[in-house]
Structures are given as C-alpha cells and as structure tokens.
Amino acid sequence: ELVNKDGTVTPALLERVLAQGSTIDPIRGAALNALGESCVQLAQFARAIGAFDEAARFYEVQGGHLHAALARGNLAHTLAKSGDIEAALHAFRLAREQFQALGAHAEVCRLAFEEAELLEDAGLLHDAADLASHAAELAARYSLRADEARASLLRGRLELSCGNAYEALNHLDHAHAIATILGDQIGISQSQVSALG
C-alpha cells in the first residue's frame, strides 16, 4: 500500500522516495517532514521523531532556517505525544529560539502556548505561568491581539489552578475584553467558563 484510504501518502512510499539519494535533495526536507507526519498519523512516534529531527538538521545545513524551525516544532509536538516530556520541552525551546531569531513572533507565541500547556499537564504550574507571561508580553509588544487573549486565558487558568482567584479573574477579564473587541465568540465563552471554574 502506497496511499492510505484518506489519500495521504504512506511511509513506505516516502521511504522509497528518500532512498533515491542526492537526486532528491531539492525535496528531501519536505519528504522527511511528510514522512514524519505520515508516521504520526499511524502513531509510529519513534519513526516520526527520527524523520522530523533529520528534516531539521537537513534544513539547517541548507540554510533553510524557517523550515528547520517548523521541523523542530513538529519534533516537539511528536515528542510530547510520545510521552518524552523532557525532550519535548527542549525541542520546543530550540524551535522558539529559531523563530525568535527570524522575527516570527506569532510562531514564537504559538509554541510558547503549547509548551506552557505541556508544562501545565506535567504539573509544573509556575514554569507554565512564567512562559505564558512571556508569551503575553511578546503578543502585546507586537500587537498580536488574538495571541494576547489566548495568553491571558492561559494565565487565568493557571492562576486558578494555583488558587490565586483574584489574579486569575484579572487575566480572564482581560482575555474576555480582547475577545469581545475581536468578535471572538469562542474566546468569550472560554473566558466565561474559566471564570466560573
């Protein structure tokens, strides 16, 4: 089988492409990323981790820093799914640093949220709150209003988990205010539900 029922390419076909040697170097990084994504769909996490890591290293050698950062982000997500929290946090940090160096502030915020949520799931609430605060500052500095609302929502949830109701409500009110300005009904609902909970 070379194509899955949903039309996506199977790892077997991608590995045949990658076996063609240097002749496919112009598409090697993309093929490695596609292999990683295909393996994630099949819950073959070790195989996916290897593909994403190889893609990131390939792009770095080629000077494709944006694509390398994207591959590192994929690697971080996959490590988290596989349960290797420590390695996932390291990969998230590397990807954030690469995006920061490129000035891709929205990507930095997105990864910071995902890393903070991973820290939250691991019970490291204070570390998660510090990272959410960093994301909030970055979002405010670059006028990333939706990200600022998401950061405030996350900070509010974390403060509630730590038993700091007053600080939590301030963050949730801020998230609600931004979501209202943006007309984000989901964000408004999330802030209201979190405030109740």
Side-chain angles (χ1 to χ4, degrees):
E1 289 289 324
L2 300 180
V3 180
N4 294 315
K5 290 178 182 176
D6 63 359
T8 58
V9 178
T10 63
L13 177 56
L14 290 162
E15 285 173 342
R16 281 172 57 178
V17 170
L18 288 162
Q20 299 304 308
S22 61
T23 58
I24 62 124
D25 275 355
I27 63 160
R28 180 170 297 281
L32 285 164
N33 260 323
L35 174 59
E37 289 165 5
S38 183
C39 291
V40 167
Q41 293 301 316
L42 298 171
Q44 297 175 358
F45 297 126
R47 204 168 164 195
I49 288 164
F52 289 135
D53 186 52
E54 189 177 344
R57 287 186 282 111
F58 176 79
Y59 280 128
E60 283 162 1
V61 169
Q62 300 296 315
H65 301 297
L66 176 61
H67 290 98
L70 290 166
R72 290 253 174 253
N74 290 338
L75 174 61
H77 292 124
T78 308
L79 286 163
K81 285 182 181 180
S82 76
D84 192 342
I85 304 304
E86 187 175 341
L89 292 171
H90 178 69
F92 271 123
R93 187 169 56 254
L94 284 177
R96 279 193 295 111
E97 288 170 357
Q98 286 180 308
F99 279 124
Q100 185 75 47
L102 294 165
H105 306 298
E107 287 297 324
V108 174
C109 284
R110 181 182 63 81
L111 288 175
F113 296 138
E114 292 166 7
E115 186 178 348
E117 288 168 350
L118 182 59
L119 287 164
E120 180 186 18
D121 291 344
L124 301 169
L125 300 182
H126 294 293
D127 291 334
D130 287 345
L131 194 53
S133 295
H134 171 70
E137 290 166 10
L138 193 65
R141 186 180 317 137
Y142 292 101
S143 300
L144 303 169
R145 300 293 281 166
D147 289 326
E148 189 178 351
R150 183 177 176 188
S152 292
L153 184 62
L154 178 56
R155 291 172 79 188
R157 190 173 73 225
L158 289 165
E159 291 292 354
L160 279 175
S161 296
C162 292
N164 302 322
Y166 179 75
E167 290 86 349
L169 287 175
N170 283 338
H171 292 306
L172 294 172
D173 284 346
H174 187 61
H176 185 274
I178 295 172
T180 300
I181 291 167
L182 296 176
D184 178 4
Q185 294 303 316
I186 294 173
I188 291 167
S189 298
Q190 288 176 330
S191 62
Q192 290 172 334
V193 168
S194 295
L196 295 173

